[in-house]
């Protein structure tokens, strides 16, 4: 019997060993749903924490603290005696030997493997853009974006005091999907509303927020009327929305798009995602197919064809239903996680496996302080926008946050933020430089912008 | 008139310009007390935030989030129209030209200079120890210590799962002053109480916490009976207190003290402080004296002798009262800050300057979850210990936290932590390595500790 109080090695297992790689929505839901089955569960993640990704942009814009939306995976699962958590990186996998390799070289055996390592950002082959235009996937990404946005205002104020001018405060967000829309709206909020009283020499409200989207509309995955509403709401907030605008190049302090080069004090990337590299490791197994973003094509039992003891979930899975690919968002990931437990339970009983079907309750994105768009599918069908959509968004996100403490602290932070116009987590830590900033100062000084000191 | 809505340069000042360097307790209190005087105040700090240092150890041990105890300096001071905040580093100062130099090379003129840049850690000339044994002065220090302590447990669990053994979990705290005592008590807490249910293969309660102090007793600045009570309380928590134990050397994964070499998975430094380097810049002015820690000797108007328009406050000042040096803690810093405004007000009225006198209300240090020692001087004189001292400590610290939101969030975090035995901010971010860890694994493997896998 695999009692979790003993080391994993050096003993004989009699219960099926389920190894779950990835502690995101899919992996955590799979582990939680397996709590009462006679299996031994190991969750492997290279991070110690589960991140509530839908609120990551609020960490990036200083509303919430990182710990408000992140919880140790082993704390979430600590009351499940059949589950252990291993903070390690999976470096290889072998579907015939039924093992995964870990960073130390050790092999972790499994009877059933659940892959849920999600997605990462894609710079479409231009990986040199990554340090210039950070994307938003992890807590570290969020604090890096926060550092850059807050630092831009501080450096402009400093330059104004010391030299009487500052480079334009242009914030460029590349990509008009939900993340790009939420980031652009939140930057506009912070500049227009939250920073105003704090500075003496610059006017944060005069900074520009540009949202660049290659396709003809923002939120392209949403119905057209909601895209139009989102664009109108962004425009009301002062965001300059440029659709049909492809970014062709970018560098420290500038972005080239639609044939024009614009200065950018901070550039953020919300344009592309690709599957985590684990999909490629799996692709060595014959018969396994990846789509163009590296997602593993799975059948309605969430297996790649011909590998019934390997499940691929969440953003790493390419699952089609009614001719459409299920999107890489939180809801299908959670449902897939729960479903894997149902399949394993059926296997244990010798019953036929139930097919997975995604139950779409809808989709929503916030736009700044009091606005949102929502495509509701359940409990009724509706397109919502404005304040009611925003309240719905708040309620749903508080409800889905894992951990009672996080619910309290996020609730308190929101009340505080929305009523006092103060951001609670306006911390700049780490490096005090911005890419390209010095170039812009030098160019300005050369152009004679520096005013001579009165002294 | 220096209206704060215009750039600092290119205009004529008619109001005295007060430049405050440093946004700690002394600098913030000086700025706040100058709010209603006819002076133009500039606060310069290289960080954007004021840190409530007495609670920094709770960030290091995952009770609080960094933003709970840090607030943007410009937000604290935003309602004072006569005050501006500049995030920049002072690189030089000239008391005859009455300017400070900033990192960009610009000069900031002043009529009155307030230096309050505090103290930093001292490794007594062994600066190569700093990356091996981090000290606790900044938010970055606190998250680095948090990373190391939490990672130690994770890596031990991983090693246990993959190889059936792990190096000893020895946490070594060097220095038995208030910071060392608070860190040792809090590490013991987290190991004994907060981690227990989360791990399957290691027993966090079996980790050792060693507190090494060179002098004959911990809390050497406190009365002897409180030192004895603190040592007894630490021992009850399982901390191994070694007094009269000098650290002679340390390296990645080990500490040498009292003639013995001990393994240390995490080493923390709480042994020495020295004045910030700004004191040295000032020492170029004739007649200015530094003590052996680099603090500037000041008279009872908080001026170095012969420089009446320069004030030195807080940990950077060496101020003697009744034959004793006033300690480098928060209370005298705040009082000195307030007092500078009184002196400047007197100068403006042409009245004689009031002398500074430190009003000592007492001192306190927590020891773990429910214990503390306090030397109370006001409103009555007493030596307190145990639970009553701890409740007093809680009350005082909540009261002195700047910002209503921080008071709420710290209060909620404490209630949560003390009742649920869960730490809310158990985040590991950044590098996933510990210094010396791999050496210890290699040594263990060589010694035959690795158990062969059953597979």
């Amino acid at each position: 019997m695999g009692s979790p109080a003993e080391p994993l090695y050096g003993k004989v297992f009699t219960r099926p060993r389920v190894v779950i790689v990835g502690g995101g929505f899919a992996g955590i839901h799979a582990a939680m749903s397996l709590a009462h089955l006679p299996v031994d569960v190991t969750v492997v993640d290279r991070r110690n924490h589960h991140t509530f990704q839908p609120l990551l942009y609020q960490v990036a814009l200083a509303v919430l603290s990182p710990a408000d939306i992140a919880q140790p995976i082993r704390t979430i699962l600590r009351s499940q005696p059949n589950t252990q958590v291993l903070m390690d990186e999976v470096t290889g996998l072998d579907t015939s030997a039924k093992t995964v390799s870990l960073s130390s070289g050790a092999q972790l055996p499994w009877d059933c493997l659940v892959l849920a390592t999600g997605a990462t950002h894609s710079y479409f082959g231009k990986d040199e853009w990554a340090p210039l235009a950070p994307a938003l996937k992890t807590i570290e990404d969020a604090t890096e974006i926060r550092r850059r946005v807050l630092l831009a205002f501080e450096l402009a104020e400093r330059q104004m005091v010391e030299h009487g001018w500052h480079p334009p405060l242009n914030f460029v967000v590349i990509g008009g999907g939900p993340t790009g829309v939420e980031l652009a709206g939140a930057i506009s909020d912070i500049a227009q509303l939250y920073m105003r009283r704090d500075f003496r020499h610059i006017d944060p409200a005069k900074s520009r927020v540009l949202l660049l989207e290659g396709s003809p509309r923002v939120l392209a995955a949403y119905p057209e009327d909601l895209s139009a509403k989102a664009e109108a709401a962004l425009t009301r907030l002062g965001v300059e929305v440029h659709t049909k605008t492809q970014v062709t190049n970018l560098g420290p302090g500038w972005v080239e798009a639609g044939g024009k080069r614009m200065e950018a004090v901070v550039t953020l990337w919300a344009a592309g995602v690709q599957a985590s590299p684990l999909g490629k490791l799996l692709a060595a197994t014959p018969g396994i197919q990846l789509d163009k973003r590296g997602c593993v094509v799975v059948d309605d039992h969430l297996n790649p064809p011909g590998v019934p003891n390997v499940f691929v979930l969440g953003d790493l899975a390419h699952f089609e239903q009614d001719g459409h690919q299920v999107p890489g968002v939180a809801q299908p990931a959670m449902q897939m996680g729960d479903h894997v437990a149902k399949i394993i339970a059926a296997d244990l009983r010798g019953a036929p496996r139930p097919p997975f079907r995604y139950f779409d309750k809808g989709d929503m994105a916030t736009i700044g302080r009091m606005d949102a768009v929502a495509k509701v599918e359940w409990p009724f069908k509706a397109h919502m926008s404005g304040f009611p959509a925003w309240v719905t968004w708040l309620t749903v996100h508080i409800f889905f946050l894992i951990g009672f403490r996080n619910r309290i602290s996020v609730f308190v932070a929101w009340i505080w933020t929305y009523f006092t116009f103060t951001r609670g987590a306006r911390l700049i830590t780490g490096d005090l430089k911005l890419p390209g900033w010095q170039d812009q100062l030098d160019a300005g000084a050369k152009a004679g912008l520096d005013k001579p000191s009165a002294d």
Side-chain angles (χ1 to χ4, degrees), chain A residues 284-412:
Chain A
T285 308
I288 288 181
Q289 261 195 320
L290 303 186
D291 71 9
K292 67 180 194 300
R293 292 196 303 183
C295 301
V296 180
V297 179
V298 294
D299 60 25
D300 61 359
H301 297 130
L302 304 172
N303 302 126
V307 200
N309 54 354
V310 174
F311 299 90
V312 183
L313 316 183
D315 292 6
L316 185 62
H318 178 114
F319 175 78
E320 291 196 9
Q321 175 168 305
D322 307 332
H324 296 285
Q325 189 184 343
V326 163
V329 293
Q331 269 194 76
M334 296 183 204
Q335 293 179 21
M336 288 176 180
D338 294 337
H339 193 79
V340 160
K342 285 184 197 151
I343 291 182
I344 291 173
D347 285 358
L348 291 171
R349 288 195 312 267
R353 291 180 163 194
F356 176 70
R357 203 169 158 81
Y358 171 47
F359 176 55
D360 184 7
K361 299 190 195 111
D363 247 328
M364 50 179 101
T366 44
I367 305 147
R369 217 176 115 76
M370 294 270 183
D371 213 336
V373 291
K375 180 183 66 127
V376 184
E377 298 283 348
W378 181 88
F380 50 85
K381 278 185 194 282
H383 292 181
M384 290 168 77
S385 62
F387 189 72
W390 183 76
V391 171
T392 310
W393 180 92
L394 283 187
T395 316
V396 167
H397 282 78
I398 282 277
F399 180 79
F400 274 106
L401 260 176
I402 288 180
F404 184 64
R405 179 186 184 274
N406 289 354
R407 268 176 232 154
I408 297 180
S409 63
V410 168
F411 187 70
V412 169

Side-chain angles (χ1 to χ4, degrees), chain A residues 197-252:
Chain A
R197 289 197 291 148
D198 284 18
F199 291 89
R200 302 284 184 252
H201 302 278
I202 62 166
D203 182 356
K206 286 194 182 138
S207 52
R208 290 169 65 195
V209 183
L210 295 98
L211 180 64
L212 312 182
E213 165 60 37
S215 81
R217 57 188 177 100
V218 299
L219 300 181
Y222 283 62
E224 278 191 35
D225 61 319
L226 291 182
S227 284
K229 284 200 167 129
E231 189 172 330
L234 285 166
T235 308
R236 272 198 305 278
L237 289 178
V239 175
E240 302 168 33
V241 181
H242 298 274
T243 50
K244 298 184 200 160
T245 304
Q246 292 281 355
V247 170
T248 47
N249 201 359
L250 58 85

